[in-house]
Amino acid sequence: MLKSKRRRWMPPRYAERVEIADSSQFNAAEMDSWIAFGSVLTLLPAALDAELQRVAELSHFEYQVLSMLAELPDRTMRMSNLASFANSSLSRLSHSATRLESRGFMTRTPDPTDGRFTLATLSDQGWCKVTSATPQYVAVVRSLVFESLTTQQTVQLGEVGRRIMRAIEPGHECMGPAQWMSRSAPAEA
């Protein structure tokens, strides 16, 4: 009896790059690692959200948006670029931006160089908010992630994260917003 090669459903952008292995089961090491990693993927964002809500009345996503803007020299980025950098839909970012704007942490204005785009700018109040929240954010990340790792494991964690990101998105480089903006800026003539 011939076995049919059944393709499992995958999101279209990944289906072309992934070859389905003959085995439909994880081996013991894969299963153990996947369960541990899956638990981190599920529980760490919720823990970060809860702590940031407690200490700064911000969601983790809102904190990320504010901190990305804070890293830029003029504290300004196009909303479409910010959404891309934050790995978010423009709709999700717009909803968060509305909340952040209503609290005085950022503003949105038309891009004077191209009115089709909107600029997000961190306000002085937003700068104060993100800089006051950062020490608690760093402390909770250290407590939940880095304090249980050796220096070597911390370096390995970074490498593992970069390898997984390159598998998801070939050519992806993990970098901060200022570095990202300088690489995506048009070259000077």
Side-chain angles (χ1 to χ4, degrees), residues 76-149:
T76 299
M77 184 184 269
R78 282 183 174 171
M79 288 284 289
S80 54
N81 290 344
L82 187 57
S84 176
F85 189 76
N87 195 29
S88 168
S89 68
L90 194 51
S91 175
R92 178 182 183 201
L93 177 60
S94 291
H95 288 347
S96 292
T98 298
R99 287 189 303 274
L100 293 168
E101 247 183 332
S102 73
R103 296 172 67 193
F105 298 149
M106 66 177 284
T107 59
R108 289 180 286 182
T109 57
D111 185 334
T113 63
D114 189 339
R116 296 173 297 170
F117 296 99
T118 300
L119 297 176
T121 302
L122 184 68
S123 67
D124 290 341
Q125 189 176 345
W127 172 261
C128 291
K129 183 62 149 179
V130 74
T131 56
S132 68
T134 296
Q136 291 92 349
Y137 179 73
V138 170
V140 75
V141 170
R142 277 194 180 127
S143 169
L144 296 174
V145 179
F146 298 118
E147 286 178 2
S148 63
L149 302 176

Side-chain angles (χ1 to χ4, degrees), residues 4-21:
S4 66
K5 286 203 170 201
R6 197 174 106 205
R7 268 185 79 81
R8 295 186 194 129
W9 182 88
M10 303 189 154
R13 77 188 253 204
Y14 303 114
E16 304 157 0
R17 297 195 316 254
V18 177
E19 293 180 26
I20 305 298

Side-chain angles (χ1 to χ4, degrees), residues 30 56 89 159 163 175:
E30 289 171 335
S89 68
E159 181 54 33
R163 283 178 184 239
M175 60 181 88

